[in-house]
Amino acid sequence: MRAYRLLTAEDTAAFCHKVTEALSKGWELHGSPAYAHDPATGTMRCAQAVIKDVEGEYDPEIRLGSL
């Protein structure tokens, strides 16, 4: 099964650490990062899609962050 996650957070070092942690757990970058202004909070937000091939069948109850 190929798993997909979209990592998002405010534009801080914490976002970079979130992506780096996913990469260290075997996730791979998928596409380009996105960067946008959030007018509700007045902050910039980042997003990066990641994918990972894992054994087993898809289950909607799976916690993708634990893969």
Side-chain angles (χ1 to χ4, degrees), residues 22-38:
L23 294 173
S24 75
K25 293 181 176 180
W27 291 85
E28 297 178 26
L29 299 177
H30 183 72
S32 299
Y35 189 65
H37 183 259
D38 180 350

Side-chain angles (χ1 to χ4, degrees), residues 7-42:
L7 306 175
T8 63
E10 287 187 18
D11 181 24
T12 66
F15 174 74
C16 295
H17 285 283
K18 183 187 269 192
V19 174
T20 301
E21 179 183 21
L23 294 173
S24 75
K25 293 181 176 180
W27 291 85
E28 297 178 26
L29 299 177
H30 183 72
S32 299
Y35 189 65
H37 183 259
D38 180 350
T41 63

Side-chain angles (χ1 to χ4, degrees), residues 1-6 27 52 54 58-67:
M1 169 184 87
R2 178 166 283 183
Y4 170 91
R5 294 173 63 196
L6 181 64
W27 291 85
K52 184 177 185 180
V54 296
Y58 172 71
D59 178 353
E61 299 298 318
I62 195 166
R63 293 185 43 87
L64 296 171
S66 68
L67 296 176

